[in-house]
Amino acid sequence: MPRMTAARAAVEILKREGVTNAFGVPGAAINPFYAALKAAGGVHHTLARHVEGASHMAEGYTRTNPGNIGVCIGTSGPAGTDMITGLYSAIADSIPILCITGQAPVARIHKEDFQAVDIASIARPVTKAATTVLEAAQVPGVFQQAFHLMRSGRPGPVLIDLPIDVQMTEIEFDPETYQPLPVYKPTATRAQIEKAIDLLQASERPLIVAGGGIINADAADLLVEFAELTGVPVVPTLMGWGTIADDHELNAGMVGLQTSHRYGNATFLESDFVLGIGNRWANRHTGSLDVYTKGRTFVHVDIEPTQIGRIFAPDYGIASDAAAALELFVEVAKERSAAGVLKDRSAWAASTRERKATLLRRTHFDNVPLKPQRVYEEMNRAFGPETRYVTTIGLSQIAGAQMLHVYKPRHWINCGQAGPLGWTVPAALGVATADPGTPVVALSGDYDFQFMIEELAVGAQHRIPYVHVLVNNSYLGLIRQAQRNFDIDFQVKLEFENLNSPELGVYGVDHVKVAEGLGCKAIRVTEPDQLLPAFEEAKKLAAEFRVPVVVEAILERVTNIAMSGTDIASVVEFEDLATEPGHAPTAVRPLAG
């Protein structure tokens, strides 16, 4: 039987579980693992500038392609606690990442040793499993179980904590005979699917709500096939955006308090039946449940049995992987279509398209400083349907979701539930690492951008090109807008006069100089007609220099973005609406003239 250190066995398992990339920061307590990583080869490592950044890179990497599992590595103590935010973001959105930390020697863990913290206990609430391995011989089994857990049922992250002496201990392990454990996923029965379709058939104005579980299951094609067979319009959630192309005739638009379309909310309010697949009824999607559920029958399909009924009790629930359920939905729908017993939904679908061509927000403004809506309009012109957008939270994300267009699954990569500021830069680097052949465009407000701006240097060092659109109003815009309810504007201004860049006025941080100082390229835009040329130049610079390229758009200080604080029937539109075709020239369905 071959002998090797437990650390080397762990690396060999990573490779046999399909890991080709890892992100991390070495340190004393994890150096034996790094030595094994170097000796074994086969896993490309990207050195982050911050360990939280490494965890978000791993998230971006996982979210990009089906089957990916991002790996982040750090030393003992603060490295693990720094990665907690990444683990929280991952478990909130059902994203499998593996976090590996170093630890003090076993005998000194509970003796207040330098950087010795019980990271497993800290991480347990935000992981599917968190384990400090105390016996070297258990390392292979713990890693094997980690991948089994990450892939089974509702996906999610795992943390493995390795004391330094455990890493260095030799064990018996034969990597050539290693096999991953079979993955478990619940599967719907045909009887369940037939009942769900019976309920759909009984309705007049049905909708499908397509959640992120469909993307996790790589089942977007099945969703579209089912929608086309039945003629039922589809509402993608924010995490399910891209399951059906924005310009597809059955895409009814997004619903919610913030990241929603006027036509999406209007159509939902007209519906009488909702089939939710792989979604979790997030509160910013539903708003007030009284308004959301009134007069509607609900069927909920989710991979996690305890998710059904968590937010509200559906009329019928099915615990199933989205792909397994959709395969049966398609099978039964084909049979009923051939028998001629499916209802004709063409009039209902036509009404959704009519709303889509009339209930539009205005994007075309010539104001200086720029209105953010114009930025997204020009992004629609500059970046095509192959683009992968990456963003986190804020008015930039909310307005972007209202106005940008997504055509494919995994082309809107967004941390949906946790929403940590600073997520966008490292996540975009993870996305671009996972798929270097596809254009990646990140979107940030100035505060998100500043949170982990140092990670731009990772892109410069490792030659990871992407375009980062930075909308700068020198404000915590979303918090400022929320503070209107309290009649305050307090501690949300980022403005100051920069002694070294007086041309910025009160916009403070010179992001162009900072980006250039970190080895990247940057362009500042102050006029609306400069936006499209700047985006085109950014694409050329990224291709030429193979580094991140920042396009900073200087916005007006205050813009209130459409949203509601209560329910989907009372979204406040702060700006002028589109009333003629020139007001929304890049809408997926042009406004009727």
Side-chain angles (χ1 to χ4, degrees):
M1 179 77 75
R3 286 186 66 82
M4 62 187 68
T5 65
R8 178 61 181 264
V11 173
E12 294 296 338
I13 290 172
L14 292 183
K15 291 159 61 176
R16 282 156 181 80
E17 292 282 0
V19 173
T20 58
N21 286 266
F23 308 87
V25 179
I30 196 64
N31 272 341
F33 185 87
Y34 270 88
L37 202 64
K38 183 177 188 294
V43 178
H44 178 266
H45 182 272
T46 299
L47 177 63
R49 290 300 189 272
H50 190 294
V51 196
E52 181 187 340
S55 69
H56 298 325
M57 290 175 200
E59 281 189 81
Y61 183 87
T62 293
R63 293 171 191 250
T64 304
N65 291 316
N68 278 10
I69 291 186
V71 175
C72 49
I73 308 168
T75 191
S76 58
T81 57
D82 282 344
M83 287 192 274
I84 292 296
T85 300
L87 292 169
Y88 164 40
S89 177
I91 200 164
D93 290 344
S94 306
I95 303 300
I97 65 171
L98 178 61
C99 175
I100 302 169
T101 54
Q103 181 58 275
V106 171
R108 297 212 296 267
I109 290 176
H110 299 296
K111 296 186 177 182
E112 297 187 358
D113 205 45
F114 177 67
Q115 292 188 335
V117 67
D118 186 358
I119 191 62
S121 293
I122 295 169
R124 207 158 281 130
V126 290
T127 55
K128 292 188 77 173
T131 305
T132 298
V133 187
L134 301 179
E135 298 291 341
Q138 290 186 305
V139 166
V142 170
F143 272 79
Q144 187 180 41
Q145 174 73 346
F147 282 94
H148 172 71
L149 286 173
M150 285 188 286
R151 294 180 175 128
S152 293
R154 181 180 180 180
V158 169
L159 178 137
I160 300 176
D161 187 42
L162 298 174
I164 187 169
D165 52 339
V166 168
Q167 296 173 56
M168 294 189 293
T169 299
E170 284 199 347
I171 62 171
E172 306 282 352
F173 179 68
D174 184 2
E176 297 305 318
T177 60
Y178 177 86
Q179 284 292 321
L181 292 173
V183 173
Y184 166 74
K185 294 183 186 295
T187 301
T189 66
R190 183 179 171 94
Q192 289 173 322
I193 297 304
E194 287 182 338
K195 179 165 183 174
I197 291 183
D198 287 343
L199 290 167
L200 184 152
Q201 280 285 87
S203 70
E204 298 299 324
R205 299 176 302 281
L207 290 173
I208 300 168
V209 170
I214 295 174
I215 291 177
N216 285 348
D218 196 27
D221 289 347
L222 288 168
L223 167 77
V224 174
E225 186 177 5
F226 177 62
E228 290 174 347
L229 281 165
T230 58
V232 176
V234 177
V235 168
T237 67
L238 185 66
M239 299 307 297
W241 198 9
T243 49
I244 184 169
D246 274 4
D247 60 356
H248 193 287
E249 295 218 328
L250 290 173
N251 184 316
M254 286 195 287
V255 170
L257 302 180
Q258 296 179 341
T259 55
S260 59
H261 301 108
R262 293 180 65 214
Y263 51 86
N265 282 350
T267 289
F268 189 90
L269 291 168
E270 291 293 320
S271 69
D272 65 355
F273 173 89
V274 179
L275 169 60
I277 305 176
N279 65 306
R280 58 182 179 83
W281 312 117
N283 68 306
R284 292 191 179 187
H285 166 79
T286 65
S288 165
L289 293 176
D290 289 343
V291 172
Y292 189 85
T293 61
K294 185 177 180 180
R296 292 173 195 90
T297 298
F298 285 86
V299 173
H300 190 198
V301 180
D302 197 86
I303 195 169
E304 172 53 50
T306 63
Q307 195 68 28
I308 295 168
R310 181 186 294 264
I311 309 302
F312 62 86
D315 296 274
Y316 190 57
I318 302 172
S320 178
D321 168 67
L326 280 164
E327 285 173 359
L328 283 172
F329 272 120
V330 168
E331 179 182 306
V332 175
K334 281 182 175 178
E335 292 173 5
R336 296 196 181 189
S337 177
V341 296
L342 287 180
K343 277 189 178 179
D344 181 358
R345 308 290 183 181
S346 56
W348 167 235
S351 74
T352 70
R353 291 192 291 274
E354 182 181 357
R355 295 183 197 93
K356 201 170 183 177
T358 52
L359 299 177
L360 297 176
R361 296 185 173 106
R362 183 171 179 171
T363 60
H364 195 79
F365 295 92
D366 291 324
N367 303 50
V368 178
L370 299 164
K371 293 189 81 65
Q373 292 88 343
R374 181 65 182 270
V375 178
Y376 307 117
E377 176 183 307
E378 300 300 340
M379 288 174 70
N380 284 331
R381 288 195 172 98
F383 305 119
E386 297 301 317
T387 303
R388 292 191 194 269
Y389 287 112
V390 184
T391 189
T392 178
I393 189 61
L395 286 186
S396 55
Q397 174 245 20
I398 293 167
Q402 292 178 6
M403 297 165 198
L404 294 174
H405 308 317
V406 175
Y407 299 90
K408 296 181 178 181
R410 301 180 188 271
H411 280 56
W412 174 262
I413 295 177
N414 188 184
C415 55
Q417 199 231 71
L421 288 169
W423 189 87
T424 308
V425 173
L429 293 168
V431 172
T433 299
D435 185 9
T438 298
V440 175
V441 176
L443 172 62
S444 287
D446 43 301
Y447 211 42
D448 168 50
F449 191 69
Q450 290 172 22
F451 257 54
M452 301 200 77
I453 196 171
E454 73 279 359
E455 300 301 332
L456 286 174
V458 176
Q461 177 182 354
H462 294 275
R463 292 292 185 260
I464 307 171
Y466 76 93
V467 175
H468 202 124
V469 178
L470 165 61
V471 287
N472 180 10
N473 60 3
S474 196
Y475 240 122
L476 302 187
L478 179 57
I479 308 307
R480 174 205 54 74
Q481 187 166 334
Q483 285 189 352
R484 295 171 71 253
N485 296 323
F486 300 92
D487 197 25
I488 59 172
D489 187 11
F490 183 63
Q491 293 296 308
V492 290
K493 296 180 181 179
L494 301 173
E495 65 190 47
F496 66 93
E497 293 185 3
N498 190 326
L499 297 175
N500 301 304
S501 301
E503 69 276 12
L504 290 175
V506 299
Y507 282 79
V509 174
D510 191 330
H511 297 107
V512 169
K513 286 181 180 176
V514 175
E516 290 175 344
L518 291 167
C520 301
K521 292 288 186 179
I523 304 166
R524 180 176 293 119
V525 177
T526 58
E527 307 268 346
D529 291 342
Q530 297 172 348
L531 283 164
L532 185 58
F535 293 146
E536 296 298 337
E537 178 67 11
K539 289 190 283 187
K540 292 177 184 176
L541 291 171
E544 179 181 357
F545 293 101
R546 310 299 296 172
V547 297
V549 180
V550 178
V551 179
E552 179 186 37
I554 302 297
L555 302 186
E556 62 186 8
R557 298 297 311 286
V558 172
T559 310
N560 292 316
I561 300 299
M563 67 179 70
S564 170
T566 55
D567 62 74
I568 61 173
S570 60
V571 172
V572 179
E573 301 289 342
F574 295 94
E575 297 287 340
D576 293 339
L577 299 174
T579 56
E580 56 186 65
H583 288 166
T586 62
V588 287
R589 292 187 73 86
L591 190 73

